[in-house]
């Protein structure tokens, strides 16, 4: 195993999420003194599937889209992870996201491995019918690789409950029976879990609450800037606003908003619903997104995409707490800068794990054929998130490492232990 530090990632590849993942993995593995054979097993994904899917477009022409599904590890249970639609999807990105799913499921100690999928396409330029045909063909191509006991997809960027309904239906058509547990994040009326839609945002609020307790801070004095107002960001903003946090900044692709006294998030959600954008919201002033990322605040909550905190802006960040809603928002190079500044980082593989945890509850409910009350879902989620936060922070203190490396170490240790026990390594 090579000797590395996280900053050993050369700056050229700073924005490659797979390199960022590998740098943290290598560093954590080295700290753990991980056996070299186990390091080799865990450093690369178990399986990488590439599909080229022909789709009839509305204009009568045929287009071929490229899709990926990467299964990083199935040591602790079926692979689990979202499907992303974006023009920027790359195999390295999907690899990184798949391995983060392995570590995330291990951090919150649920019985899944890690996977991720993606299709290179621009959903903004596609009709609903075209999106449905892409989804059905992608699912059909993956038929033998997915399933409740093999690999369970879920929504991610630009996919949603409707996408999961199409995936579930396509898989079920091939199986000649309804198989709800093949995907999670479904609509509640067809095997989805109550509370799943808000779960990632709820988990983010829970870990922020824990961080405030640890640092002796109060919600009412806590100013929050949220980047990305999609599923994760808008639900986190709403739940945090409802419990007393001040959401002073919201950043989106087409504009950003600032209100030093905190925004009315219900009004913003209503405005966005009516106008399809946050731009022009009368309850805040227009702002510059890049400036807001480094604005004076207590919590910065990136909930959009990767590589938004890099060597270019990390030293300017003023937030006391960085709570990572997105996967991979911070590069490995930026980690060291944030550590020097003593920013309290709640790393993605812990902070945004509320989504996969409630996906686990959905999978359990589908297999039981018995559906829980929302209060039961939220209570179970609360318990797992708080316990996992404590595990990571205690691990960091015991081993004198930062929270991110602690989360990786905890996760790698759990996965490696299972592999040894199963005897795969024998
Ligand atoms: P989404 O598509 O619902 O929302 C993403 C939002 O971010 C969109 O509104 C988009 O316009 C905005 N955005 C994209 N790039 C931006 C940029 N550069 N600056 C500002 N805004 C930008 O996706 P989502 O499901 O909310 O996922 C967001 C992130 O959270 C992703 O990294 C995803 O992997 C991660 N995540 C999602 C879940 C989940 O349950 N959905 C769970 C864990 C992690």
């Amino acid at each position: 195993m090579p000797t590395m530090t996280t900053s050993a990632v050369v700056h050229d590849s700073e924005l490659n999420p797979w390199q960022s993942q590998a740098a943290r993995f290598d560093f954590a593995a080295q700290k753990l003194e991980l056996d070299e054979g186990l390091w080799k097993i865990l450093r690369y994904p178990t399986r990488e599937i590439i599909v080229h899917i022909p789709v009839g477009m509305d204009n009568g022409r045929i287009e071929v889209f490229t899709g990926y599904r990467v299964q990083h590890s199935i040591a602790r249970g079926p692979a689990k992870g979202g499907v992303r639609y974006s023009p920027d999807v790359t195999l390295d990105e999907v690899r990184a996201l798949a391995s983060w799913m392995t570590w995330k499921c291990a951090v919150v100690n649920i019985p899944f491995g890690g996977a991720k999928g993606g299709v290179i396409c621009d959903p903004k330029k596609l009709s609903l019918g075209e999106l449905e045909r892409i989804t059905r063909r992608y699912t059909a191509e993956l038929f033998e690789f997915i399933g409740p006991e093999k690999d369970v997809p879920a929504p991610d960027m630009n996919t949603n409950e409707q996408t999961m309904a199409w995936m579930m239906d396509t898989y079920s058509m091939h199986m000649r029976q309804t198989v709800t547990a093949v995907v999670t994040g479904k609509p509640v009326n067809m095997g989805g879990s109550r509370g799943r839609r808000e779960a990632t945002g709820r988990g983010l609020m829970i870990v922020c609450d824990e961080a405030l307790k640890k640092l002796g801070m109060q919600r009412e004095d806590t100013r929050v800037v949220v980047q990305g107002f999609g599923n994760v960001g808008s639900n986190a903003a709403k739940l945090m606003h409802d419990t007393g946090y001040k959401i002073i900044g919201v950043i989106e692709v087409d504009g950003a908003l600032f209100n030093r006294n905190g925004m009315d998030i219900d009004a913003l959600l209503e405005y966005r619903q009516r106008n399809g954008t946050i731009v022009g919201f009368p309850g805040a002033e227009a702002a510059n997104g890049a400036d807001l990322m480094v604005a004076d605040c207590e919590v910065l909550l990136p909930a959009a995409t990767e590589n938004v905190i890099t060597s270019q802006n990390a030293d300017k960040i003023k937030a006391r707490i960085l709570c990572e809603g997105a996967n991979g928002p911070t590069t490995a190079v930026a980690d060291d800068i944030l550590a020097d500044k003593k920013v309290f980082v709640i790393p993605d593989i812990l902070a945004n794990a509320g989504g996969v945890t409630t996906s686990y509850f959905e999978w359990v409910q589908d297999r039981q054929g018995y559906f829980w009350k929302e209060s039961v879902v939220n209570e179970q989620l609360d318990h797992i998130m708080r316990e996992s936060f404590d595990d990571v922070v205690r691990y960091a203190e015991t081993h004198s490492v930062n929270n991110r490396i602690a989360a990786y170490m905890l996760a790698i240790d759990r996965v490696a232990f299972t592999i040894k026990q199963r005897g795969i390594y024998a």
Side-chain angles (χ1 to χ4, degrees):
M1 191 193 323
T3 301
M4 291 193 79
T5 65
T6 51
S7 57
V9 182
V10 279
H11 282 246
D12 282 0
S13 57
E14 183 186 352
L15 302 186
N16 180 321
W18 174 246
Q19 300 289 347
S20 266
Q21 186 284 139
R24 277 87 167 238
F25 170 76
D26 286 345
F27 186 69
Q30 187 189 305
K31 283 253 162 212
L32 274 173
E33 297 180 17
L34 185 71
D35 169 274
E36 189 171 354
L38 287 164
W39 175 79
K40 283 187 201 159
I41 293 176
L42 290 171
R43 198 169 195 279
Y44 297 101
T46 293
R47 184 184 268 158
E48 303 180 344
I49 304 149
I50 304 178
V51 294
H52 300 289
I53 39 182
V55 176
M57 308 301 281
D58 291 350
N59 63 10
R61 298 173 68 142
I62 289 174
E63 231 13 282
V64 177
F65 294 89
T66 299
Y68 306 106
R69 185 76 187 167
V70 174
Q71 296 168 346
H72 174 260
S73 169
I74 49 169
R76 283 170 48 94
K80 184 86 194 80
V83 178
R84 165 175 298 199
Y85 289 173
S86 163
D88 307 325
V89 167
T90 64
L91 184 53
D92 265 357
E93 178 190 44
V94 180
R95 277 187 186 126
L97 290 161
S99 56
W100 282 325
M101 287 306 296
T102 302
W103 311 136
K104 194 181 300 183
C105 292
V107 165
V108 287
N109 218 351
I110 57 176
F112 284 135
K116 205 79 179 191
V119 177
I120 305 173
C121 66
D122 188 352
K124 286 195 199 78
K125 298 191 180 138
L126 297 164
S127 70
L128 199 63
E130 289 168 338
L131 279 171
E132 176 170 356
R133 293 194 289 281
I134 290 175
T135 303
R136 288 190 180 278
R137 193 75 191 211
Y138 173 70
T139 309
E141 287 296 332
L142 294 179
F143 178 69
E144 58 266 66
F145 302 108
I146 60 173
E149 309 293 341
K150 293 182 184 173
D151 180 359
V152 185
D156 192 71
M157 268 171 73
N158 297 322
T159 56
N160 53 30
E161 291 179 6
Q162 178 61 75
T163 323
M164 293 306 112
W166 292 327
M167 288 191 85
M168 190 280 255
D169 183 64
T170 309
Y171 184 83
S172 298
M173 282 163 67
H174 286 264
M175 286 295 286
R176 324 298 288 171
Q177 68 190 59
T178 295
V179 185
T180 52
V182 64
V183 289
T184 59
K186 298 179 294 296
V188 170
N189 59 299
M190 49 173 282
S193 175
R194 294 182 181 92
R196 173 63 183 89
R197 194 179 296 163
E198 303 80 15
T200 310
R202 185 176 295 282
L204 289 163
M205 177 186 71
I206 297 167
V207 292
C208 276
D209 283 352
E210 290 299 296
L212 294 197
K213 253 190 255 163
K214 173 145 191 67
L215 302 173
M217 295 159 66
Q218 302 301 320
R219 286 170 173 167
E220 289 67 25
D221 307 324
T222 302
R223 296 163 301 166
V224 184
V225 171
V226 178
Q227 183 198 39
F229 203 62
N231 173 290
V232 176
S234 70
N235 279 303
K238 158 125 183 75
L239 290 162
M240 290 173 82
H241 166 74
D242 289 352
T243 52
Y245 288 85
K246 265 193 220 164
I247 315 297
I248 60 160
V250 173
I251 308 167
E252 254 298 331
V253 266
D254 53 351
L257 300 170
F258 175 72
N259 181 337
R260 71 181 67 254
N261 301 314
M263 280 172 237
D264 177 345
I265 299 298
D266 291 309
L268 177 58
L269 282 165
E270 214 180 289
Y271 179 89
R272 210 261 312 262
Q273 174 75 17
R274 244 184 300 118
N275 299 285
T277 175
I278 62 164
V279 177
F281 174 60
E285 56 194 77
N288 174 286
D291 292 345
L292 263 188
M293 288 292 289
V294 297
D296 207 8
C297 66
E298 280 69 42
V299 176
L300 176 62
L301 199 156
T305 186
E306 293 104 65
N307 298 333
V308 294
I309 299 162
T310 67
S311 53
Q312 301 301 306
N313 64 355
D315 62 328
K316 301 190 198 85
I317 283 180
K318 297 190 191 67
R320 174 80 187 85
I321 298 168
L322 171 64
C323 181
E324 297 184 333
N327 287 305
T330 309
T331 66
V333 181
D335 276 353
D336 294 346
I337 302 170
L338 296 177
D340 285 346
K341 287 169 64 83
K342 308 242 174 318
V343 176
F344 188 87
V345 176
I346 315 177
D348 47 8
I349 56 174
L350 165 66
N352 70 35
V356 74
T357 301
T358 308
S359 275
Y360 164 54
F361 300 153
E362 181 172 331
W363 178 78
V364 169
Q365 292 170 77
D366 285 339
R367 285 152 52 105
Q368 282 181 325
Y370 179 75
F371 291 86
W372 310 350
K373 287 193 293 194
E374 187 167 348
S375 56
V376 174
V377 173
N378 291 346
E379 194 186 310
Q380 300 282 342
L381 175 65
D382 194 84
H383 172 72
I384 290 184
M385 292 306 296
R386 284 184 208 283
E387 197 171 69
S388 306
F389 179 94
D390 276 355
D391 284 351
V392 169
V393 171
R394 210 171 332 110
Y395 205 102
E397 287 167 0
T398 316
H399 293 83
S400 303
V401 290
N402 64 43
N403 289 342
R404 189 184 313 282
I405 294 303
Y408 270 76
M409 287 172 75
L410 181 66
I412 294 168
D413 205 18
R414 283 181 178 160
V415 180
F417 180 71
T418 306
I419 292 175
K420 272 198 278 193
Q421 234 178 7
R422 283 181 61 157
I424 294 172
Y425 181 54

